[in-house]
Amino acid sequence: MVQKAERVGVPRITGGRTRGAGPVGNVTRGTTNPNRMRRLDRWLTGPQAWRLRAAADPLVVDLGYGASPATAVELFERLSVIRPDVRVAGIEIEPERVRLGRELERPGLSFQLGGFELPVAGRPVLVRAFNVLRQYEESDVAGIWRLVQGRLAPGGLFIDGTCDEIGRKVTWVALDAGGPVSLSLSLRFGSFTLPSEVAERLPKALIHRNVPGERIHSYLQAMDQAWLEAAPLASFGNRQRWSAMCRALLDGGWPVQDGPSRWRLGELTVGWDAVAPGN
């Protein structure tokens, strides 16, 4: 049985460089389910599709896809609609998982052994690492982020995210070469009473920061307050209520980066500076 990851060898991830041979990282639990990443993939094929369309080399990495390659296959199929010549590389640090993935290889979809060093030819325009870093120490996150950021293509994006077992409560941080740029939350209507219930699925950089005095705590509290104030709209459906909540946050000065077309999906993205951990 694969256990929770031990602390990654941080000295090997210093200043975006690695020391020593072999993949960078640890074997994690690898639990996954088909269609678990659909909410994130919908964002990649929606407001972020331009990155793939504009890429000189449409290389995408699914990092740490888990014990089943299903979500890597789904990512390939979804991105192929946007860019038929996309190349998706599933990377896993556990050899048996790579062997299982290779049984499903096809033109444009490959699987290989590796870790955060991203042992692929070329620089990826998108890197997805979901439910991976949550199994590491918070102190490891910054070094891992820098390592992956250093491998991105110009205009590339690294997505570090977390979700529940069936993909109904999802959060992700998006990073470009310069650092984190946004936090997105995506919830299935009917799966929550208050939006702040998503706190248990926050990325590792934020999950321990949901306490008074931290920005992420203030943000989730503001979401709850706006959601409660929008309760009279519940009779018109949760989409209308969620959209009213998002509009209230925007009007209240929160740096909301998306609009009604995303809100109606139960999604909301804000600038990273509004939720970043304090010193």
Side-chain angles (χ1 to χ4, degrees):
M1 179 180 295
V2 177
Q3 301 296 324
K4 183 176 185 294
E6 300 296 332
R7 189 173 185 191
V8 70
V10 179
R12 298 169 60 201
I13 308 177
T14 302
R17 298 182 180 181
T18 61
R19 281 192 252 166
V24 177
N26 302 300
V27 177
T28 56
R29 288 188 296 269
T31 53
T32 189
N33 283 300
N35 215 27
R36 190 180 184 188
M37 311 303 175
R38 62 191 180 278
R39 289 183 170 268
L40 179 275
D41 292 352
R42 186 169 59 189
W43 187 73
L44 294 178
T45 57
Q48 301 304 315
W50 67 270
R51 298 180 188 272
L52 193 59
R53 292 191 180 106
D57 179 10
L59 173 62
V60 176
V61 168
D62 190 14
L63 178 60
Y65 55 83
S68 165
T71 55
V73 174
E74 290 168 352
L75 180 64
F76 171 69
E77 293 174 344
R78 289 162 181 165
L79 295 184
S80 294
V81 175
I82 304 300
R83 184 77 185 252
D85 59 341
V86 68
R87 295 187 295 121
V88 173
I91 296 178
E92 251 295 345
I93 202 167
E94 206 283 311
E96 178 60 14
R97 297 173 186 173
V98 177
R99 186 191 68 78
L100 291 173
R102 285 177 173 165
E103 295 178 357
L104 300 175
E105 286 187 337
R106 66 191 77 168
L109 177 64
S110 62
F111 295 87
Q112 63 189 87
L113 187 70
F116 295 111
E117 78 284 0
L118 306 187
V120 292
R123 291 183 173 273
V125 66
L126 296 172
V127 178
R128 183 182 75 178
F130 243 67
N131 302 304
V132 177
L133 271 71
R134 71 175 284 120
Q135 300 181 60
Y136 287 80
E137 299 291 335
E138 183 181 355
S139 57
D140 291 340
V141 171
I144 292 171
W145 278 2
R146 287 193 299 271
L147 181 58
V148 177
Q149 287 171 254
R151 294 283 286 113
L152 292 174
L157 208 62
F158 171 35
I159 301 96
D160 169 16
T162 304
C163 65
D164 66 357
E165 287 74 15
I166 54 176
R168 293 186 173 188
K169 298 176 182 177
V170 188
T171 73
W172 62 87
V173 178
L175 305 95
D176 62 17
V181 295
S182 64
L183 172 71
S184 297
L185 311 177
S186 183
L187 289 82
R188 186 180 189 277
F189 297 129
S191 70
F192 63 93
T193 301
L194 290 172
S196 63
E197 293 170 19
V198 79
E200 65 183 10
R201 299 296 173 175
L202 286 171
K204 192 67 177 187
L206 295 174
I207 194 167
H208 302 301
R209 302 297 185 127
N210 185 29
V211 294
E214 289 280 354
R215 297 182 186 94
I216 185 61
H217 182 267
S218 298
Y219 176 56
L220 293 177
Q221 292 300 303
M223 288 185 71
D224 281 354
Q225 184 62 34
W227 176 255
L228 292 171
E229 291 176 353
L233 293 174
S235 59
F236 297 101
N238 283 323
R239 283 187 174 85
Q240 285 73 17
R241 186 178 180 183
W242 181 271
S243 295
M245 177 200 74
C246 296
R247 175 62 64 183
L249 291 169
L250 177 61
D251 293 344
W254 290 94
V256 174
Q257 295 186 352
D258 49 16
S261 65
R262 306 308 300 178
W263 300 345
R264 66 182 303 276
L265 301 174
E267 191 177 296
L268 180 61
T269 297
V270 294
W272 176 252
D273 289 346
V275 296
N279 295 327

